[in-house]
Amino acid sequence: MKIFEITHIMKGVTMVERVEADTKMQARSVLTSHYKRQLDLVSVELVEESEVA
């Protein structure tokens, strides 16, 4: 699993959230389904990648 830091704007406020997912697209999907609407995404950056033993 990877941890992505997603910066988005909601109601004029810039928010930064961390999401655990396998890909950038999945990370975006997690937030979109959480807020039940399209988000104005500013960036999606990989923060950490864990290794599976």
Side-chain angles (χ1 to χ4, degrees):
M1 274 296 188
K2 301 173 184 174
I3 297 176
F4 292 93
E5 190 169 85
I6 301 177
T7 305
H8 62 95
I9 299 172
M10 182 184 296
K11 297 181 181 176
V13 177
T14 301
M15 301 176 70
V16 178
E17 299 189 47
R18 288 191 173 192
V19 175
E20 189 174 20
D22 288 321
T23 64
K24 282 185 176 185
M25 203 61 156
Q26 285 178 342
R28 291 175 180 190
S29 239
V30 167
L31 278 190
T32 302
S33 63
H34 176 75
Y35 289 112
K36 307 270 192 276
R37 67 187 193 102
Q38 276 301 103
L39 299 173
D40 184 8
L41 297 176
V42 175
S43 70
V44 179
E45 300 294 327
L46 178 62
V47 175
E48 182 180 314
E49 188 170 353
S50 63
E51 292 185 22
V52 178

